[in-house]
Amino acid sequence: MIIILKPTTAAAMQAKLIAQFGTTHEVFTHANRIAIQGLTPAELPADVRAASTDLLTDVPAAVQSSRLLHPEDTIIRTPHSVIGGNHFVMMAGPCSVESAGHVERMAEVAKQGGATVVRGGAFKPRTSPYSFQGLGEEGLRDLRAAADQNGLDMITEVMDDEHVAMVAQYTDIFQIGARNMQNFSLLKAVGRTRIPVALKRGMSATIDDVLNAAEYIAAGGNHQIMLLERGIRTFDNKYTRNTFDLGAVPVLQELTHYPVIVDPSHAVGTWELVTPMAMAGVAAGASGMIVEIHDDPTHAFSDGPQALKPKTYLKMAKQAFQLHDLVQSWA
Amino acid sequence: MIIILKPTTAAAMQAKLIAQFGTTHEVFTHANRIAIQGLTPAELPADVRAASTDLLTDVPAAVQSSRLLHPEDTIIRTPHSVIGGNHFVMMAGPCSVESAGHVERMAEVAKQGGATVVRGGAFKPRTSPYSFQGLGEEGLRDLRAAADQNGLDMITEVMDDEHVAMVAQYTDIFQIGARNMQNFSLLKAVGRTRIPVALKRGMSATIDDVLNAAEYIAAGGNHQIMLLERGIRTFDNKYTRNTFDLGAVPVLQELTHYPVIVDPSHAVGTWELVTPMAMAGVAAGASGMIVEIHDDPTHAFSDGPQALKPKTYLKMAKQAFQLHDLVQSWA
Amino acid sequence: MIIILKPTTAAAMQAKLIAQFGTTHEVFTHANRIAIQGLTPAELPADVRAASTDLLTDVPAAVQSSRLLHPEDTIIRTPHSVIGGNHFVMMAGPCSVESAGHVERMAEVAKQGGATVVRGGAFKPRTSPYSFQGLGEEGLRDLRAAADQNGLDMITEVMDDEHVAMVAQYTDIFQIGARNMQNFSLLKAVGRTRIPVALKRGMSATIDDVLNAAEYIAAGGNHQIMLLERGIRTFDNKYTRNTFDLGAVPVLQELTHYPVIVDPSHAVGTWELVTPMAMAGVAAGASGMIVEIHDDPTHAFSDGPQALKPKTYLKMAKQAFQLHDLVQSWA
Amino acid sequence: MIIILKPTTAAAMQAKLIAQFGTTHEVFTHANRIAIQGLTPAELPADVRAASTDLLTDVPAAVQSSRLLHPEDTIIRTPHSVIGGNHFVMMAGPCSVESAGHVERMAEVAKQGGATVVRGGAFKPRTSPYSFQGLGEEGLRDLRAAADQNGLDMITEVMDDEHVAMVAQYTDIFQIGARNMQNFSLLKAVGRTRIPVALKRGMSATIDDVLNAAEYIAAGGNHQIMLLERGIRTFDNKYTRNTFDLGAVPVLQELTHYPVIVDPSHAVGTWELVTPMAMAGVAAGASGMIVEIHDDPTHAFSDGPQALKPKTYLKMAKQAFQLHDLVQSWA
């Protein structure tokens, strides 16, 4: 149950309720609201009821992620970016960090297109154990340098709880990959940090699964969470790697206050389709996008076929900002 | 195999090849091209080979639908609409024709939003036999009148081959529903007419399935085909009725010359999501949209929850045309 | 709502209720039960309530298909077969009728393996319009002759409502194909006959969709319905054509009184997997199976890769009957 | 490429090839076979070619898991169990370890039904962070004691690489959960042990995904792997939690030498369906099953609805062994 309290006495009532139910129930507060999981209206003290303006009883398990507790948008601020609400963030970079020089050049291109975040994988979750697994810590150093040299934030994937502390030394934003969306140990580990987390939707994760996974991070006290729609697995993958579920953008925005970002590159898996799908994502209302770029896709260490060449990226990015402006003009 | 012939001798070579292979193979011509299904380059007469500029051997079964045979966009012209290419068509109306008066009012609203086609179901494919099955021929008459009174084309579903001749007396465009996408008898029947056909993608139809279904219509000589993406069935339908597969828009546009139209109403099933998904569809490059409207959704005979009220529709439609203009400015 | 009436006065109460609600509601009776769709307990006359032993209010739309109205198994009797309950029916034959001689030989093999029904397609729903579409009425004649010569029933697909009367002259059992599961015109047409109907589950049909499709047949007065599980479309079809959903067997058996038959051939699409999946289907409790056989699969007119050769079929069939006996011994 | 060598000189040729290609390619040997990933026949020294009986060039990435390199069944021997080939292993126990006494009683029941392995979760991957997360190491101690007291092996889930060493002190078999199937850090960690691993198929994992995940374990040198089919996520989960993909059993058995075990409890999620699906799994040819039991399902700490009560389990287990005997009699 969520109790909406009268503003004047909200703080006092919250303190009282925490004292009374805090050891037996999950209790969360936000502004003049308080959620007490599992409590029924009948169990509510009379004075609290009198001090409340509304009781919400149909509350999801992922209560901290819900707009019922936290109605206004979460806005995440990193050194160079503002993520959420009616802001639009562009994140771009190579799939894998391949070398210091290469990622530096790609960061420059990213910046040129209006990106404020450069992406790159140093630890790569590859389907086969014999595929390139990433440069490891060296890749993190290279990406950090490339970001700094261009005045950008960096985002990179962390694959297991043991590496969280190490990756934390370099990155501005953790990325949790689709395959790890329900790696609960990892979610708890990044939840114990205060570094923003970009959580990718799993290949067959329902909307509720995504929100519950986000809740694992929030449960640790880290509320700087953004959600990445990157395509789901369906019955047809002949022409696209996944099915880009753009309906998830407004659905998530209605249910949760966390920013929703789209990843058209992984959603479609082939560069020719990235621009139209990126545009569709912006038009659907996303707060940003993350896109893969490469100057020589044929020789990319991973996911070359879905990388945009610099010229295509620059054109796409320009369109994306134009389109976001148009969408904002309708609000 | 598709043979691209030198323009000067194309007609003669086509005639020769039809004479030689027309009774034993499926043969189709378009401009200076000819497709001979199942033929191998080795079987090709030397003079034909000499008169050709290219031989395409990786040809899909649905050859008439393929851009390999027919590279340029198919443009469909109905009395009030131009469908395909860089044109944008708006189709709007109630899910079901409910009465002459109601559909007339809805046609007016549709027109006001820039629609040139009014939609409405007179024969309804309902999951349960005990649900409202449509007004039948009376509904067709009402929709025809509503269209005529407003200077609009009409589109309506035909559910079986027995009704094709009757529906043909009223409609400008046949709609084939998702559940009937592989009702091959029905596809053959509309293929024998020369009335444009809007073919809805089946709930679990692959891209190739859609093209093969279109080919059934083309095989009868009717080439005025448009394809409707209306959402596919996936593992999560808690918040959306289907998953809107917008990747299908550019994929189909690359493979086939038929116009691709989006149906955000059926894709999401809930009106709050229709506008963002409609925008996403336009941004993805669709040649038009078909959308359900109703002035009193709670009392709609069918699919009320996904109908836009007039005011919302008018705002959405205005945005859609603005967005299409922006997309066109990038071409 | 379903009302379970005291046996002694059931007939009188049913008559009374039909008189009172028969023109305004959908009303169905079975034994001492009566279903009145949309009625609430409060609207029930006091004497009916007094004459009832139970009121069931959570009733599905497909009420005639439900065990709530019709608790006991439907048993279908054709000249040579008993289908449903703890009986086990074997149906076998080629995918397509290819010639009188061939289908006659295949019917002999089918019979040898214990089949009482021979299958064969004369009208073929093929993905491509240019594939073999079946022998038509000639095929029906050939299959009828093959069945008669071997003392077997015949089952064959009917693809559209226009052909129902013609196919009815030949067949003992209509088959409705997966692609036509929601071709409601066709379902209504076979529902007007009194010939048993084998309804194949659509590729992405939910359990409720299957039951509602069956209800279309029942709504016409034809209650001789059997349901065929033939695999559903999922995200992986590299090694199997479809995903055989054997959970549907006990689920359907719990919800409906109609016999459930498995079709391992279409479910997997490759003959090596047919025997283990056929065994799994029997162990899951199916009332029978339909299986494709061919003496020369490489040259089969359709679906050769999934056909069992006679020797393999005979071994599989023997195992199936042994397994069914074992399953029955546990009941 | 896999080279099948003449037995007499196989060892010498393998040594030679390892010396030549071992630093530049992934090289694996088994009996008289050697796999060199990425090598083409043309690069093969002439004497090796002369000493070979066959060259297999269509080799999957997951080569150590493939029957092409390792044709015979892997048989895993734990203190009380033989897993693989034509043996049949029963694993049973509660979803969660709830207390020392409870798991001990459940282990007794498991044993009574013919189980040689007792299951129980001490670390639970729960969708919500606020659900019961398991007893942790105390649960491991309790399960170990219950196993020892009844002369059983124990299987339990390990959720992250940090816990591998600790769980290894207790368990006979690691279980990797469906949500962690592509947690590559965890797979590598259990791959460094020599404890058998039961790898559960992910909810939307393709057959190839499963084999590649197994390869991560094998790449670490741990070849004692068994694969668990536990249902996949599809479009219909109204009546079953997942769709039990029994076709995966013979498909995996054809492709890999690792034992395939079925988990009907998680596949269906409701106890009434467990017995028919367990039977279907045995009939499909599985080498064993893992099943959840509980004496008081309504009060189970997790997954109560799918637990079999002792009496039902004992009946099901008896049937399973009878059925396995019948299946073996056909081999």
Side-chain angles (χ1 to χ4, degrees):
Chain A
M1 186 175 55
I2 290 175
I3 307 151
I4 308 182
L5 296 158
K6 294 178 185 163
T8 46
T9 50
M13 287 296 150
Q14 287 173 338
K16 179 188 152 96
L17 288 165
I18 289 168
Q20 188 171 355
F21 297 108
T23 52
T24 50
H25 294 69
E26 299 284 350
V27 179
F28 308 100
T29 62
H30 177 76
N32 63 320
R33 299 182 183 221
I34 182 165
I36 310 177
Q37 295 285 70
L39 203 74
T40 60
E43 300 171 81
L44 209 60
D47 61 338
V48 176
R49 187 183 279 268
S52 70
T53 61
D54 205 357
L55 302 181
L56 313 176
T57 52
D58 188 12
V59 173
V63 64
Q64 296 195 74
S65 305
S66 171
R67 287 211 188 255
L68 298 181
L69 180 64
H70 186 305
E72 71 280 10
D73 290 339
T74 282
I75 308 287
I76 299 171
R77 288 169 203 280
T78 50
H80 305 280
S81 313
V82 185
I83 304 167
N86 50 19
H87 303 278
F88 187 82
V89 66
M90 177 69 74
M91 309 182 180
C95 181
S96 295
V97 179
E98 302 184 359
S99 72
H102 183 261
V103 76
E104 211 282 315
R105 287 200 305 281
M106 290 305 99
E108 260 184 63
V109 173
K111 172 99 178 190
Q112 219 181 317
T116 55
V117 184
V118 59
R119 61 149 292 147
F123 296 92
K124 301 297 303 172
R126 306 301 300 279
T127 303
S128 166
Y130 312 125
S131 300
F132 173 64
Q133 307 273 315
L135 294 183
E137 192 165 1
E138 184 194 330
L140 296 177
R141 263 192 302 268
D142 296 343
L143 184 58
R144 180 73 266 166
D148 289 345
Q149 223 150 337
N150 289 280
L152 296 169
D153 298 319
M154 102 177 219
I155 181 173
T156 199
E157 177 161 356
V158 56
M159 277 180 61
D160 49 64
D161 42 331
E162 287 189 290
H163 283 140
V164 167
M166 191 254 274
V167 177
Q169 292 168 23
Y170 297 93
T171 200
D172 298 297
I173 307 172
F174 285 124
Q175 181 183 302
I176 304 292
R179 290 171 185 78
N180 275 322
M181 194 200 80
Q182 292 190 312
N183 178 341
F184 299 123
S185 304
L186 176 57
L187 298 177
K188 287 177 182 173
V190 296
R192 286 187 293 264
T193 76
R194 291 300 174 267
I195 294 173
V197 181
L199 177 67
K200 282 192 147 186
R201 181 181 186 183
M203 281 186 205
S204 63
T206 63
I207 295 291
D208 287 348
D209 287 342
V210 174
L211 296 174
N212 278 303
E215 193 78 6
Y216 264 93
I217 302 168
N222 187 351
H223 301 288
Q224 303 206 76
I225 301 168
M226 62 198 92
L227 307 175
L228 267 62
E229 164 57 33
R230 44 76 75 204
I232 56 173
R233 193 164 260 186
T234 68
F235 57 83
D236 194 7
N237 59 5
K238 181 165 174 183
Y239 301 105
T240 54
R241 190 168 165 181
N242 294 290
T243 297
F244 203 15
D245 179 13
L246 285 173
V249 175
V251 166
L252 285 170
Q253 287 174 334
E254 196 186 323
L255 297 171
T256 187
H257 47 94
Y258 299 132
V260 181
I261 309 291
V262 290
D263 174 351
S265 307
H266 285 86
V268 294
T270 167
W271 75 266
E272 291 96 333
L273 302 170
V274 168
T275 293
M277 286 303 97
M279 294 309 107
V282 181
S287 293
M289 82 171 67
I290 182 164
V291 67
E292 294 192 355
I293 59 176
H294 203 285
D295 51 354
D296 185 11
T298 341
H299 298 101
F301 287 15
S302 58
D303 281 349
Q306 73 196 31
L308 295 184
K309 288 195 187 177
K311 197 176 148 188
T312 312
Y313 159 70
L314 293 172
K315 187 177 179 200
M316 183 281 292
K318 195 176 159 192
Q319 294 176 192
F321 286 106
Q322 280 180 14
L323 181 44
H324 185 253
D325 285 348
L326 180 62
V327 171
Q328 286 310 113
S329 76
W330 298 329
Chain B
M1 187 175 56
I2 289 174
I3 306 150
I4 308 181
L5 296 158
K6 294 178 186 165
T8 46
T9 50
M13 286 297 150
Q14 287 172 338
K16 178 189 152 97
L17 287 165
I18 290 167
Q20 189 170 354
F21 297 107
T23 53
T24 50
H25 294 69
E26 298 284 348
V27 179
F28 308 101
T29 61
H30 178 75
N32 63 320
R33 299 181 183 221
I34 183 165
I36 311 177
Q37 294 286 70
L39 203 74
T40 60
E43 300 171 82
L44 209 60
D47 60 338
V48 176
R49 186 184 278 270
S52 71
T53 61
D54 205 358
L55 301 182
L56 312 177
T57 52
D58 188 13
V59 173
V63 64
Q64 297 195 72
S65 304
S66 170
R67 285 211 191 256
L68 298 181
L69 181 65
H70 186 304
E72 71 280 9
D73 291 338
T74 282
I75 308 286
I76 298 171
R77 289 170 202 280
T78 50
H80 305 280
S81 313
V82 184
I83 304 168
N86 50 18
H87 303 278
F88 187 82
V89 67
M90 178 68 74
M91 307 181 182
C95 181
S96 294
V97 178
E98 302 184 359
S99 72
H102 182 261
V103 75
E104 211 282 316
R105 287 199 306 281
M106 291 304 98
E108 260 184 64
V109 173
K111 171 100 179 189
Q112 220 181 317
T116 55
V117 183
V118 58
R119 61 150 290 147
F123 296 92
K124 301 296 305 171
R126 305 303 298 280
T127 304
S128 166
Y130 312 126
S131 300
F132 173 63
Q133 307 271 315
L135 295 183
E137 191 164 2
E138 185 195 328
L140 296 177
R141 260 192 304 268
D142 296 344
L143 183 58
R144 181 72 267 166
D148 289 345
Q149 224 151 338
N150 289 280
L152 296 169
D153 297 319
M154 102 177 219
I155 180 172
T156 200
E157 178 161 355
V158 57
M159 278 181 61
D160 49 64
D161 42 333
E162 286 189 290
H163 284 140
V164 167
M166 191 254 277
V167 178
Q169 292 169 24
Y170 297 93
T171 202
D172 300 296
I173 307 172
F174 284 123
Q175 181 183 301
I176 304 291
R179 291 172 184 77
N180 275 323
M181 194 200 82
Q182 292 190 314
N183 178 341
F184 299 123
S185 303
L186 176 57
L187 298 177
K188 287 177 183 173
V190 296
R192 286 187 293 265
T193 75
R194 290 302 173 266
I195 294 173
V197 181
L199 178 67
K200 282 193 145 185
R201 182 180 184 184
M203 284 188 202
S204 62
T206 63
I207 295 291
D208 287 348
D209 287 342
V210 174
L211 296 175
N212 278 304
E215 193 79 6
Y216 264 94
I217 302 168
N222 186 351
H223 301 288
Q224 304 207 75
I225 301 168
M226 63 197 91
L227 307 175
L228 267 63
E229 164 57 34
R230 45 77 73 202
I232 57 172
R233 192 165 258 185
T234 69
F235 57 82
D236 194 7
N237 59 3
K238 181 166 174 184
Y239 300 105
T240 55
R241 189 168 167 181
N242 294 290
T243 297
F244 203 13
D245 179 14
L246 286 173
V249 175
V251 166
L252 284 170
Q253 286 174 335
E254 197 186 322
L255 297 172
T256 186
H257 46 94
Y258 298 132
V260 181
I261 308 291
V262 291
D263 174 350
S265 308
H266 285 87
V268 294
T270 168
W271 74 267
E272 291 95 332
L273 303 170
V274 168
T275 294
M277 286 304 96
M279 295 307 107
V282 180
S287 293
M289 83 171 66
I290 183 163
V291 67
E292 294 192 355
I293 60 177
H294 203 284
D295 51 355
D296 184 11
T298 340
H299 297 101
F301 287 15
S302 58
D303 282 350
Q306 73 196 30
L308 295 184
K309 287 193 187 178
K311 198 177 148 188
T312 312
Y313 159 70
L314 292 173
K315 187 176 179 201
M316 182 281 290
K318 195 177 159 192
Q319 294 176 193
F321 285 106
Q322 280 181 14
L323 181 46
H324 185 253
D325 285 348
L326 180 62
V327 171
Q328 287 309 113
S329 77
W330 299 329
Chain C
M1 186 175 55
I2 290 174
I3 307 149
I4 308 181
L5 296 157
K6 293 179 188 164
T8 46
T9 51
M13 288 296 149
Q14 287 172 338
K16 180 189 152 97
L17 288 165
I18 289 167
Q20 190 171 352
F21 298 106
T23 53
T24 51
H25 294 70
E26 298 284 347
V27 179
F28 307 101
T29 62
H30 178 75
N32 62 319
R33 298 180 183 221
I34 182 164
I36 310 176
Q37 293 288 69
L39 203 74
T40 60
E43 299 172 83
L44 209 59
D47 60 337
V48 175
R49 188 185 276 269
S52 71
T53 61
D54 205 359
L55 302 181
L56 312 177
T57 53
D58 187 13
V59 173
V63 64
Q64 297 195 74
S65 303
S66 169
R67 285 208 189 259
L68 299 180
L69 180 65
H70 186 306
E72 71 280 7
D73 291 338
T74 282
I75 307 287
I76 298 172
R77 288 169 202 282
T78 50
H80 304 281
S81 313
V82 184
I83 304 168
N86 51 18
H87 303 277
F88 188 83
V89 66
M90 177 69 74
M91 307 180 182
C95 181
S96 295
V97 179
E98 302 184 358
S99 72
H102 182 262
V103 75
E104 210 281 316
R105 288 199 305 280
M106 291 304 99
E108 260 184 65
V109 173
K111 171 100 179 189
Q112 220 182 319
T116 55
V117 183
V118 59
R119 63 148 291 148
F123 296 93
K124 301 297 304 171
R126 305 303 297 280
T127 303
S128 167
Y130 312 125
S131 300
F132 173 64
Q133 307 271 317
L135 296 183
E137 191 164 2
E138 185 194 329
L140 297 177
R141 262 193 302 268
D142 296 343
L143 184 57
R144 182 73 266 167
D148 289 345
Q149 224 152 338
N150 289 280
L152 295 168
D153 297 320
M154 101 177 220
I155 181 172
T156 200
E157 178 160 356
V158 58
M159 278 182 60
D160 49 63
D161 41 331
E162 287 189 290
H163 284 142
V164 167
M166 190 253 276
V167 178
Q169 292 169 22
Y170 297 94
T171 201
D172 299 296
I173 307 172
F174 285 124
Q175 181 183 302
I176 304 291
R179 290 172 186 78
N180 276 321
M181 195 201 80
Q182 291 189 314
N183 177 341
F184 299 123
S185 303
L186 177 57
L187 298 178
K188 287 176 182 173
V190 296
R192 286 188 291 266
T193 75
R194 292 299 174 267
I195 294 173
V197 180
L199 177 67
K200 281 192 147 186
R201 182 182 186 182
M203 280 186 204
S204 63
T206 63
I207 295 292
D208 286 349
D209 287 341
V210 174
L211 295 175
N212 278 304
E215 194 78 5
Y216 264 94
I217 302 168
N222 186 351
H223 301 287
Q224 304 207 76
I225 301 168
M226 62 197 92
L227 306 174
L228 266 64
E229 162 59 33
R230 47 75 75 202
I232 57 173
R233 192 164 260 187
T234 69
F235 57 82
D236 194 8
N237 59 4
K238 180 165 175 185
Y239 301 105
T240 54
R241 190 168 166 182
N242 294 290
T243 297
F244 203 14
D245 179 13
L246 285 174
V249 175
V251 166
L252 285 170
Q253 287 174 334
E254 198 185 322
L255 297 171
T256 186
H257 46 94
Y258 298 132
V260 182
I261 308 292
V262 292
D263 175 350
S265 307
H266 285 86
V268 294
T270 167
W271 75 266
E272 292 95 333
L273 301 170
V274 169
T275 294
M277 286 304 96
M279 295 307 108
V282 180
S287 293
M289 83 171 64
I290 183 163
V291 67
E292 294 191 356
I293 59 177
H294 203 286
D295 51 354
D296 184 11
T298 341
H299 297 100
F301 287 17
S302 59
D303 282 350
Q306 74 196 30
L308 295 183
K309 288 194 187 176
K311 198 177 149 188
T312 311
Y313 159 69
L314 293 172
K315 187 176 179 202
M316 183 280 290
K318 195 177 159 191
Q319 294 176 191
F321 285 107
Q322 279 179 15
L323 181 45
H324 185 252
D325 285 348
L326 180 62
V327 171
Q328 287 309 114
S329 76
W330 299 329
Chain D
M1 186 176 56
I2 290 174
I3 307 150
I4 308 181
L5 296 158
K6 293 178 185 163
T8 45
T9 51
M13 287 296 149
Q14 286 171 339
K16 179 188 152 95
L17 288 165
I18 290 168
Q20 189 171 353
F21 296 108
T23 53
T24 51
H25 294 69
E26 298 284 348
V27 179
F28 308 99
T29 61
H30 178 74
N32 63 320
R33 297 180 184 222
I34 183 165
I36 310 177
Q37 294 286 71
L39 202 75
T40 59
E43 300 171 82
L44 208 61
D47 60 338
V48 176
R49 188 185 278 268
S52 70
T53 61
D54 205 356
L55 302 182
L56 313 177
T57 52
D58 187 13
V59 172
V63 64
Q64 297 195 74
S65 303
S66 170
R67 285 208 189 259
L68 297 181
L69 180 65
H70 186 306
E72 71 281 8
D73 291 337
T74 282
I75 307 287
I76 299 171
R77 288 169 202 281
T78 50
H80 304 281
S81 313
V82 184
I83 304 168
N86 50 20
H87 303 278
F88 187 83
V89 66
M90 177 68 73
M91 309 182 180
C95 182
S96 294
V97 178
E98 301 184 359
S99 73
H102 182 262
V103 75
E104 210 281 316
R105 286 199 305 281
M106 290 305 99
E108 259 183 65
V109 173
K111 170 97 178 191
Q112 219 181 318
T116 55
V117 183
V118 59
R119 63 149 289 147
F123 296 92
K124 300 297 303 171
R126 305 303 298 281
T127 303
S128 167
Y130 312 124
S131 299
F132 173 64
Q133 307 271 316
L135 295 183
E137 190 164 3
E138 185 194 328
L140 296 177
R141 262 193 302 269
D142 296 344
L143 184 57
R144 180 73 267 166
D148 288 345
Q149 224 151 338
N150 288 280
L152 296 169
D153 298 320
M154 103 177 217
I155 180 172
T156 200
E157 178 161 354
V158 58
M159 278 181 61
D160 49 64
D161 41 332
E162 288 189 289
H163 283 141
V164 167
M166 191 255 275
V167 178
Q169 292 168 25
Y170 297 93
T171 200
D172 299 296
I173 307 173
F174 285 123
Q175 181 182 301
I176 304 292
R179 289 172 187 77
N180 276 321
M181 194 200 83
Q182 291 190 314
N183 178 341
F184 299 124
S185 304
L186 177 57
L187 298 177
K188 287 177 182 172
V190 297
R192 285 188 293 266
T193 75
R194 292 300 174 266
I195 294 173
V197 181
L199 178 68
K200 279 192 148 187
R201 182 181 184 182
M203 281 186 205
S204 63
T206 63
I207 295 292
D208 286 348
D209 287 342
V210 174
L211 295 174
N212 278 303
E215 194 78 6
Y216 264 93
I217 302 169
N222 187 351
H223 301 288
Q224 303 206 76
I225 301 168
M226 63 198 91
L227 306 175
L228 267 63
E229 163 58 33
R230 46 76 74 203
I232 57 173
R233 193 164 259 184
T234 69
F235 57 82
D236 193 7
N237 59 2
K238 181 166 175 184
Y239 301 104
T240 55
R241 190 169 168 180
N242 293 290
T243 297
F244 203 13
D245 179 13
L246 285 173
V249 175
V251 166
L252 285 169
Q253 287 174 334
E254 197 185 322
L255 297 171
T256 186
H257 47 93
Y258 298 132
V260 182
I261 308 291
V262 291
D263 175 350
S265 307
H266 285 86
V268 294
T270 168
W271 74 267
E272 291 95 333
L273 301 171
V274 169
T275 294
M277 286 303 97
M279 295 307 107
V282 180
S287 292
M289 83 170 66
I290 183 163
V291 67
E292 294 192 355
I293 59 177
H294 203 285
D295 50 354
D296 184 10
T298 339
H299 298 101
F301 287 15
S302 58
D303 282 350
Q306 74 196 29
L308 294 184
K309 288 194 186 177
K311 197 176 147 189
T312 311
Y313 159 69
L314 293 173
K315 187 177 177 200
M316 183 281 291
K318 194 176 158 193
Q319 294 176 192
F321 286 107
Q322 279 179 16
L323 181 45
H324 185 253
D325 285 348
L326 180 62
V327 171
Q328 286 310 112
S329 77
W330 297 330

